[in-house]
């Protein structure tokens, strides 16, 4: 059997010209490709995009595939939606946003925006951010403005407006993600705004605590529930949302493991369960007898993220720690201390639930493992 290797290729992209949707065809100069593109019915050229263009409809799309089959590879990575769906067990509902009382002169996200968030099971936190960010974008323009007619230039002007307001890099990225979500996921036009610049990605080192500082925080926390929360954040390397999502059955005492359900990206994983933490958890469970979640509010239901933050900060102050401590610093400290004790980076990656080892490798920059053996020049004889 002979395998045919195509050395010619074209790339399809989503374009909007004069408010209408077009298929952009990008290609490198080639007499065969040029002749075939010119023969496509209804073909045109966009000087602005420097691409051949066809009205975006199923007939024209199929015509492209039929014409170039066996002649050139049709690259559709910028054209078809190809994003993973969150497979988490918790179904998202954004009914609270749907039921908001309308304010005069303010636009709200369309129903299709809400539906796509729910169907793809985005986390509630991500949904809140996307809704808020996209509504800010919508209301930057007049109520009569057709969002589908906005070009890359309009989006860039809005991003420049945010920069001039002094918004952080994180805010800018979230705003652009929300805008791209509407056009590329809701309207199914992937990478329509592929040429919009993002802020240069900064890579600050994670802030960590010393082990004695963490132990001091646990020691000064006399409330059993609060002590269990701080201990779990540190000893299991949990994110705050993962801690709040725990149910009693996730504590697998026989295996000394904790099952983390629906972590970042909807992934499940297992992490460590400490012996001292287990003893405290057993005492806490007998006294609190939570009905659904391991940690619940006064009236039942999942404990609030704000309460977790307050517990951690209060413990840090009582322990005499001057720096501003957050729940995520305990997770960073977990990873760093494991690395310093000689745990293989690959195991730490699994415990943290990182997709890439590159994400975990950042802890090598804060761990003192290789630095302690270096003699300070002031101490040299």
């Amino acid at each position: 059997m002979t395998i045919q290797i195509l050395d010619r290729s074209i790339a399809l992209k989503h374009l909007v010209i004069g408010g209408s949707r077009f298929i952009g065809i990008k290609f490198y100069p080639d007499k065969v490709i040029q002749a075939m593109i010119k023969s496509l019915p209804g073909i045109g050229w966009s000087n602005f995009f420097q691409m051949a263009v066809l009205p975006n409809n199923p007939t024209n799309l199929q015509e492209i595939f039929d014409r170039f089959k066996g002649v050139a590879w049709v690259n559709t990575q910028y054209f078809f939606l190809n994003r993973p769906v969150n497979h988490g067990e918790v179904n998202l509902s954004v009914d609270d946003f749907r039921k908001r009382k309308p304010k005069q002169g303010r636009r709200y996200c369309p129903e299709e925006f809400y539906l796509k968030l729910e169907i793809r099971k985005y986390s509630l936190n991500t949904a809140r951010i996307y809704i808020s960010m996209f509504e800010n974008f919508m209301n930057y323009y007049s109520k009569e403005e057709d969002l589908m007619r906005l070009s890359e230039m309009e989006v860039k002007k809005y991003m420049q407006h945010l920069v001039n307001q002094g918004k952080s890099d994180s805010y800018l990225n979230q705003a652009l993600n929300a805008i791209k979500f509407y056009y590329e996921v809701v309207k199914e036009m992937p990478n329509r705004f592929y040429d919009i610049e993002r802020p240069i990605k900064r890579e600050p080192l994670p802030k960590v605590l010393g082990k004695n500082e963490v132990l001091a925080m646990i020691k000064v926390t006399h409330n059993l529930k609060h002590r269990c929360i701080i201990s779990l954040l540190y000893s299991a390397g949990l994110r705050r949302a993962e801690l709040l999502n725990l149910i009693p059955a996730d504590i697998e005492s026989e295996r000394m493991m904790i099952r983390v359900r629906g972590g970042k990206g909807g992934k499940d994983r297992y992490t460590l369960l400490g012996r001292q933490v287990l003893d405290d958890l057993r005492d806490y469970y007998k006294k609190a007898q939570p009905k659904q979640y391991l940690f619940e509010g006064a009236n039942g239901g999942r404990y609030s993220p704000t309460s977790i933050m307050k517990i951690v900060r209060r413990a840090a102050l009582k322990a005499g720690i001057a720096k501003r401590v957050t729940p995520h610093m305990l997770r960073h400290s977990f990873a760093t201390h494991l690395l310093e004790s000689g745990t293989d980076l690959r195991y730490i990656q699994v415990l943290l639930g990182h997709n890439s080892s590159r994400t975990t490798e950042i802890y090598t920059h804060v761990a003192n493992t290789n630095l302690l053996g270096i003699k300070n020049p002031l101490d040299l004889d």
Side-chain angles (χ1 to χ4, degrees):
M1 182 178 71
T2 302
I3 299 176
Q4 184 180 15
I5 300 176
L6 302 178
D7 56 0
R8 297 186 177 98
S9 68
I10 62 173
L12 306 186
K13 300 194 176 184
H14 282 280
L15 304 176
V16 175
I17 303 173
S20 299
R21 295 172 60 166
F22 284 83
I23 302 170
I25 307 175
K26 191 172 184 178
F27 61 95
Y28 292 101
D30 180 280
K31 290 182 179 179
V32 175
I33 296 290
Q34 287 175 316
M36 293 181 69
I37 288 176
K38 285 181 179 179
S39 69
L40 289 168
I43 194 70
W45 179 262
S46 168
N47 287 324
F48 181 80
F49 292 106
Q50 289 294 295
M51 292 185 203
V53 294
L54 268 178
N56 191 339
N57 58 57
T59 302
N60 284 340
L61 185 59
Q62 189 59 51
E63 182 70 25
I64 292 171
F65 287 124
D66 291 343
R67 289 287 181 100
F68 289 93
K69 185 177 182 180
V71 179
W73 173 52
V74 182
N75 182 352
T76 61
Q77 66 171 315
Y78 301 109
F79 198 82
F80 290 124
L81 194 65
N82 185 26
R83 295 187 178 184
V85 175
N86 186 341
H87 295 286
E89 297 175 6
V90 180
N91 290 328
L92 170 70
S93 173
V94 293
D95 280 345
D96 288 345
F97 292 96
R98 287 190 178 97
K99 296 172 183 176
R100 289 175 294 174
K101 291 182 179 179
K103 292 182 181 178
Q104 188 174 5
R106 182 167 178 82
R107 289 202 280 182
Y108 294 102
C109 287
E111 175 61 21
E112 58 185 340
F113 195 97
Y114 299 139
L115 283 173
K116 190 65 77 169
L117 286 169
E118 291 173 333
I119 290 169
R120 298 179 72 81
K121 294 185 177 181
Y122 279 78
S123 71
L124 183 57
N125 187 51
T126 301
R128 284 174 179 151
I129 292 170
Y130 278 20
I131 291 169
S132 172
M133 294 289 183
F134 188 66
E135 288 180 353
N136 288 341
F137 170 70
M138 292 171 67
N139 288 283
Y140 179 74
Y141 296 98
S142 67
K143 197 171 184 180
E144 292 72 31
E145 191 78 56
D146 183 355
L147 296 177
M148 289 303 293
R149 288 182 175 271
L150 297 179
S151 68
E152 282 190 8
M153 186 54 65
E154 273 90 15
V155 177
K156 286 180 178 180
K157 286 178 180 177
Y158 175 71
M159 298 301 293
Q160 184 182 34
H161 163 72
L162 297 181
V163 171
N164 292 337
Q165 284 189 322
K167 299 297 186 185
S168 66
D169 290 353
S170 174
Y171 189 100
L172 295 173
N173 274 313
Q174 289 174 338
L176 187 53
N177 287 342
I179 294 168
K180 288 167 72 68
F181 174 79
Y182 175 73
Y183 290 104
E184 299 180 0
V185 179
V186 177
K187 291 300 184 181
E188 297 187 351
M189 299 178 67
N191 289 332
R192 174 181 165 189
F193 298 129
Y194 54 86
D195 199 32
I196 295 179
E197 300 86 358
R198 289 181 180 271
I200 296 173
K201 188 175 181 181
R202 305 173 192 273
E203 295 187 359
L205 293 176
K207 296 177 180 179
V208 301
L209 297 168
K211 188 170 182 180
N212 287 335
E213 290 179 312
V214 178
L215 294 177
M217 286 176 62
I218 295 171
K219 186 177 180 179
V220 299
T221 304
H222 303 298
N223 181 296
L224 184 57
K225 178 180 182 179
H226 296 176
R227 187 163 69 246
C228 287
I229 286 171
I230 295 172
S231 298
L232 279 175
L233 286 170
Y234 170 68
S235 66
L238 297 177
R239 299 178 177 94
R240 179 168 51 171
E242 293 168 348
L243 176 86
L244 296 173
N245 201 35
L246 288 175
I247 60 175
D250 292 332
I251 308 300
E252 301 186 8
S253 56
E254 284 192 16
R255 301 177 62 213
M256 294 304 291
M257 302 287 282
I258 299 172
R259 184 188 179 200
V260 182
R261 296 171 298 104
K264 194 172 183 179
K267 300 186 298 293
D268 292 0
R269 72 178 189 279
Y270 278 95
T271 186
L272 308 176
L273 173 63
R275 176 62 62 187
Q276 181 59 54
V277 182
L278 177 59
D279 292 341
D280 281 347
L281 281 172
R282 282 172 170 159
D283 291 342
Y284 158 73
Y285 185 79
K286 289 175 185 176
K287 294 175 181 177
Q289 295 192 355
K291 295 178 175 60
Q292 183 180 2
Y293 296 99
L294 184 59
F295 300 108
E296 297 179 335
N299 299 317
R302 190 188 280 110
Y303 209 42
S304 78
T306 307
S307 297
I308 300 293
M309 180 67 78
K310 289 179 179 177
I311 290 167
V312 170
R313 287 183 179 173
R314 191 183 303 123
L317 286 172
K318 288 179 69 177
I321 301 171
K323 66 187 86 170
R324 182 176 179 272
V325 180
T326 66
H328 213 71
M329 281 177 68
L330 294 173
R331 173 176 160 89
H332 288 323
S333 302
F334 163 81
T336 304
H337 298 165
L338 283 181
L339 189 60
E340 290 174 345
S341 68
T343 306
D344 192 290
L345 199 65
R346 290 171 295 180
Y347 295 132
I348 299 173
Q349 178 187 345
V350 172
L351 293 172
L352 292 175
H354 287 163
N355 279 331
S356 169
S357 60
R358 289 186 61 188
T359 309
T360 319
E361 284 169 4
I362 194 169
Y363 296 108
T364 61
H365 297 285
V366 291
N368 63 18
T369 314
N370 298 318
L371 300 179
L372 289 178
I374 302 174
K375 199 165 187 180
N376 192 288
L378 282 175
D379 299 329
L380 293 175
D381 295 328

